[in-house]
């Protein structure tokens, strides 16, 4: 069995797959990553009083609004090779999707969302997470529960079920990509660092 078949079976069974070092550390990707990080930090520090009024501030999770740099990172990712990898793993073509560019910010000393999914089971929706800096156990890695992407689970039953015990932390290096089904149960964890955790 070749790697493509193994990756496809893993994704179908678990509802996610992590691809290491998919975006090479080229000059354009590094520049865009640093600019997104710098501009997000600048906006956060200059607008903290307004940000504190947002509902997401209490949990420490805010949406990173799309701009031209996010679409440029996407264009770097979507070279012919990644599109082939995506199709081999998911059985779907990227061109069949409407793509939304955004991101997630976890504020310093905030986090630990409630477990949730990103939509109803029957939606044709996939999430791609792109790391523009290292994400380890100290700065709010995503926690997921493999195999929960194709099951209807009531919220209270999820927490009481054996499957809840299978949750795992997804650490990422810069340039890593995670493909995950929108309906997999997951949450953002606590950001123990003094810096914003930014994930595209």
């Amino acid at each position: 069995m070749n790697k493509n078949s193994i990756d496809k079976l893993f994704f179908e069974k678990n509802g996610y797959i992590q691809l290491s070092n998919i975006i090479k550390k080229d000059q354009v990707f590094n520049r865009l990553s640093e600019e997104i990080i710098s501009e997000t930090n600048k906006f956060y520090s200059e607008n903290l009083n307004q940000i504190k009024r947002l509902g997401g501030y209490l949990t420490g999770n805010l949406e990173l609004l799309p701009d031209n740099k996010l679409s440029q990172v996407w264009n770097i990712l979507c070279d012919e090779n990644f599109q082939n990898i995506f199709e081999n793993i998911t059985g779907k073509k990227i061109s069949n999707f409407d793509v939304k560019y955004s991101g997630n910010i976890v504020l310093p000393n905030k986090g630990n969302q409630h477990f949730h999914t990103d939509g109803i089971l029957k939606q044709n929706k996939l999430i791609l997470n792109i790391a523009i800096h290292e994400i380890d156990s100290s700065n709010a890695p995503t926690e997921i529960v493999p195999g929960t992407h194709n099951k209807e689970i009531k919220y209270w039953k999820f927490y009481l079920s054996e499957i809840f015990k299978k949750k795992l932390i997804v650490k990422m290096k810069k340039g890593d990509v995670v493909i995950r089904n929108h309906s997999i149960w997951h949450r953002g964890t606590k950001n123990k660092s003094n810096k914003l955790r930014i994930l595209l």
Side-chain angles (χ1 to χ4, degrees):
M1 187 177 291
N2 62 31
K3 186 177 186 304
N4 287 339
S5 298
I6 292 171
D7 287 349
K8 181 176 176 62
L9 288 172
F10 183 93
F11 179 76
E12 289 174 351
K13 177 183 178 182
N14 294 286
Y16 86 100
I17 190 166
Q18 182 168 0
L19 307 171
S20 299
N21 197 31
I22 288 295
I23 302 183
K24 307 304 180 191
K25 312 302 191 297
D26 67 13
Q27 289 183 343
V28 178
F29 176 61
N30 284 335
R31 175 181 59 78
L32 289 168
S33 298
E34 293 307 314
E35 288 177 358
I36 292 168
I37 292 167
S38 175
E39 291 172 12
T40 303
N41 277 286
K42 184 173 185 290
F43 183 85
Y44 175 73
S45 62
E46 291 178 351
N47 297 277
L48 185 55
N49 287 333
Q50 290 90 338
I51 290 171
K52 284 182 177 179
R53 298 175 190 152
L54 300 174
Y57 180 80
L58 295 176
T59 58
N61 280 268
L62 301 173
E63 183 177 6
L64 178 65
L65 298 178
D67 69 4
N68 185 47
K69 293 183 180 64
L70 273 66
S71 62
Q72 288 180 64
V73 171
W74 173 254
N75 289 335
I76 292 172
L77 174 63
C78 282
D79 59 19
E80 182 180 353
N81 186 47
F82 178 74
Q83 294 191 56
N84 289 335
I85 293 170
F86 180 90
E87 185 174 351
N88 288 331
I89 290 172
T90 67
K92 304 171 188 288
K93 291 181 179 291
I94 288 177
S95 59
N96 290 339
F97 287 88
D98 294 323
V99 179
K100 175 188 176 185
Y101 313 112
S102 63
N104 174 261
I105 305 165
V106 181
L107 308 181
N109 299 308
K110 300 262 190 176
N112 271 348
Q113 294 178 313
H114 295 295
F115 276 96
H116 62 281
T117 68
D118 289 330
I120 61 175
L121 193 62
K122 293 182 180 180
Q123 280 182 299
N124 184 28
K125 181 178 175 183
L126 291 170
I127 311 292
L128 271 70
N129 294 137
I130 304 169
I132 57 173
H133 62 79
E134 185 166 348
I135 299 173
D136 57 28
S137 57
S138 70
N139 64 343
T142 302
E143 191 170 28
I144 64 172
V145 186
T148 55
H149 59 294
N150 55 8
K151 300 176 176 69
E152 289 280 6
I153 308 172
K154 292 187 182 297
Y155 189 79
W156 65 272
K157 282 188 176 180
F158 169 77
Y159 274 96
L160 295 176
S161 68
E162 287 294 314
I163 201 166
F164 176 69
K165 298 176 182 177
K166 297 179 181 179
K167 59 186 185 295
L168 57 85
I169 293 289
V170 180
K171 301 176 184 178
M172 300 178 74
K173 299 284 188 183
K174 182 178 179 179
D176 286 1
V177 173
V178 169
I179 305 173
R180 62 178 174 85
N181 196 293
H182 74 285
S183 56
I184 194 170
W185 285 76
H186 68 285
R187 69 171 179 173
T189 59
K190 185 176 178 63
N191 184 359
K192 303 170 188 174
S193 75
N194 60 0
K195 297 180 180 178
L196 300 179
R197 192 278 271 145
I198 303 167
L199 183 64
L200 306 190

